[in-house]
Amino acid sequence: MYQPPKILHLLCPAEYRIPTAGREVYLTFDDGPCPETTPTILDILRQHNVKATFFCVGDNIVKHPELFAQIKAEGHQVGNHTMHHSKGFYTNTNDYLNEIDECATLVGNNLFRPPHGLITPRQNAMLKNKGYKIIQWDVITYDWDSDHTPEKILNTIKQYTRNGSIIVMHDSEKAAPRVLEVLEDIIIWLKQEGYKLTTLT
């Protein structure tokens, strides 16, 4: 499943795709910052003059503040991915909301992406009432999965990307062998297709 099912759009309203009249797409990276992956991703983005959005785990921000500062200093957007990468479906709602609020103090804005997209309709509604802007996705690459080769990831991008797509990748150690190999090819292909790559804001 490379795109969220329509029922999820109804049960948990969020930004799954950004309506746009032009050819714009949004590269996003989850789970960092990670010293094994994030610096190289930043190098690739810089070389191609591309800005992205990084949904950071609070615990990783605390462990690697210099990488978090570098992401922001280079003009990328940051967002909230909970303090400990908690899955809403399997986390007490009060604990889940507290984790998100704690991470928000580190991130400094209201952008939030649920880890794995797993969030209950009640949690979704409560976060919206608290002023969070919930960001899901339109295309997910499975770059953390060793069964998805870089070639398969690139083909997924080619098949499913459209105007306004929010594309999910990961700057985690687990995704490193694939994301670091395929990211430049993805950027080159998107630009060849006439897409502008920018941040969610």
Side-chain angles (χ1 to χ4, degrees):
M1 187 180 296
Y2 296 99
Q3 293 179 304
K6 296 299 183 184
I7 187 67
L8 188 59
H9 292 235
L10 297 174
L11 294 175
C12 295
E15 296 286 355
Y16 291 86
R17 179 172 168 240
I18 306 296
T20 174
R23 289 180 72 76
E24 290 188 4
V25 294
Y26 307 88
L27 278 184
T28 67
F29 296 89
D30 289 2
D31 298 356
C34 172
E36 293 81 8
T37 314
T38 307
T40 305
I41 288 174
L42 291 174
D43 287 344
I44 294 169
L45 296 176
R46 190 186 318 111
Q47 289 164 15
H48 291 274
N49 194 28
V50 166
K51 302 302 180 187
T53 302
F54 289 77
F55 287 94
C56 300
V57 175
D59 188 51
N60 287 339
I61 295 173
V62 173
K63 290 177 180 175
H64 310 293
E66 73 291 345
L67 283 180
F68 183 67
Q70 184 182 353
I71 291 169
K72 295 192 294 180
E74 296 195 11
H76 303 288
Q77 179 65 56
V78 294
N80 182 333
H81 207 45
T82 75
M83 278 302 296
H84 303 288
H85 202 255
S86 298
K87 302 173 185 177
F89 276 3
Y90 308 109
T91 307
N92 172 274
T93 291
N94 286 336
D95 293 341
Y96 188 62
L97 297 181
N98 287 338
E99 270 208 44
I100 294 163
D101 287 342
E102 184 180 358
C103 188
T105 65
L106 300 173
V107 170
N109 63 44
N110 67 342
L111 292 184
F112 172 67
R113 170 173 284 158
H116 299 280
L118 296 177
I119 187 170
T120 68
R122 179 169 177 262
Q123 290 166 347
N124 197 88
M126 291 176 73
L127 286 169
K128 281 181 168 287
N129 287 338
K130 287 168 69 73
Y132 285 99
K133 185 173 184 180
I134 302 172
I135 308 294
Q136 294 276 14
W137 60 79
D138 187 51
V139 182
I140 192 163
T141 60
Y142 292 91
D143 54 352
W144 71 89
D145 185 346
S146 60
D147 289 336
H148 284 67
T149 63
E151 181 181 16
K152 187 172 183 179
I153 290 168
L154 181 59
N155 287 336
T156 297
I157 294 289
K158 291 179 177 180
Q159 182 174 353
Y160 292 100
T161 299
R162 51 187 173 167
N163 289 350
S165 284
I166 300 172
I167 299 168
V168 178
M169 303 187 77
H170 295 77
D171 58 329
S172 63
E173 184 176 2
K174 189 174 183 179
R178 288 156 296 280
V179 68
L180 297 183
E181 182 173 339
V182 76
L183 178 57
E184 187 167 37
D185 290 338
I186 288 172
I187 292 171
I188 290 170
W189 182 82
L190 289 170
K191 286 190 170 185
Q192 287 174 343
E193 292 297 304
Y195 288 110
K196 177 183 177 183
L197 289 78
T198 188
T199 65
L200 286 168
T201 54

